Amino acid sequence: YGKLYQWGRKYGQGYDSNDASVPSIVRGPEDFYTAQQESNSNKFYTSMNLDFDWIYGGSKSYLWNSGTEENPIKTEYDPCPDGWRVPTYIELDALKANYSSLTTSNGQNGYWFSGSKSYSESVNSIFLSAAGERLSGDGSAGGRGNYGRYWSSSPYYNDTYCLNLGLNVLDYFHRASGYSVRCVQTTDEVAEL
């Protein structure tokens, strides 16, 4: 199912003890530079502050995109490999236009998304697994195989937009929450999932 990421952090953590990188839960928020260090990559910082962010002193809305929605620019904190980046709101919104019902693929529950084309097994589509989530307040994990959210790089005030599986809508949530990331590869003109 993959790792779960707090929005804006370079490193994600596993879901439970079946994953090699199950995190230690640390009461946060934390100093930005401390939390971003690789030596702290296996720590999940909880947050009950007013903005529900893992960072002390307010949100940094540029952490995964220093450009615009239309012209995104990957940052050093983006968790995607070279040549890839976290998708924008616009890209996730286009992707969610058509999708399957909850199904199982390679032993994982999730949804097939086909973007602008009506979903069928014969069209190009991408599978997003229902990887669950980690809660911002206490760091508890839940929902794997039933639901999950996928982060965008697009902030919404002190929260960030995400694709909410099951409802298959874009909503926004606390940046200290742990959600999935599905990277996009950008070619000359088109971002491809």
Side-chain angles (χ1 to χ4, degrees):
Y1 282 95
K3 293 183 177 187
L4 301 175
Y5 292 81
Q6 291 182 289
W7 189 87
R9 289 191 67 194
K10 174 99 176 144
Y11 304 101
Q13 299 90 31
Y15 179 81
D16 60 20
S17 60
N18 294 319
D19 298 319
S21 61
V22 63
S24 58
I25 307 301
V26 177
R27 185 177 175 166
E30 180 57 84
D31 170 78
F32 174 76
Y33 295 102
T34 300
Q36 291 286 27
Q37 293 175 1
E38 189 171 2
S39 60
N40 291 321
S41 64
N42 213 29
K43 293 179 181 174
F44 181 92
Y45 298 100
T46 64
S47 182
M48 291 298 289
N49 62 2
L50 291 177
D51 59 5
F52 289 94
D53 205 331
W54 55 270
I55 306 170
Y56 276 124
S59 300
K60 299 177 183 316
S61 61
Y62 57 83
L63 289 177
W64 281 351
N65 178 5
S66 63
T68 64
E69 277 292 300
E70 296 76 18
N71 296 301
I73 299 172
K74 179 180 176 163
T75 70
E76 66 181 296
Y77 303 110
D78 183 308
C80 298
D82 289 342
W84 299 76
R85 63 174 169 74
V86 176
T88 64
Y89 173 96
I90 292 171
E91 291 163 334
L92 285 179
D93 191 48
L95 178 67
K96 74 164 183 61
N98 289 285
Y99 52 88
S100 72
S101 58
L102 182 66
T103 189
T104 302
S105 179
N106 295 323
Q108 296 179 356
N109 291 339
Y111 296 83
W112 288 98
F113 289 85
S114 56
S116 62
K117 298 177 184 164
S118 292
Y119 175 75
S120 74
E121 291 183 21
S122 63
V123 300
N124 287 338
S125 57
I126 186 170
F127 185 77
L128 297 181
S129 60
E133 65 184 0
R134 188 168 298 284
L135 300 178
S136 61
D138 64 6
S140 61
R144 180 155 279 183
N146 295 311
Y147 61 86
R149 288 186 170 97
Y150 281 77
W151 285 123
S152 78
S153 63
S154 306
Y156 179 80
Y157 297 99
N158 288 334
D159 295 326
T160 297
Y161 284 108
C162 51
L163 175 60
N164 185 337
L165 295 186
L167 298 176
N168 296 321
V169 298
L170 283 164
D171 58 11
Y172 48 88
F173 220 73
H174 309 309
R175 295 179 185 183
S177 301
Y179 299 144
S180 299
V181 168
R182 177 61 186 217
C183 303
V184 294
Q185 183 177 27
T186 304
T187 62
D188 289 337
E189 304 238 348
V190 179
E192 297 177 359
L193 285 168

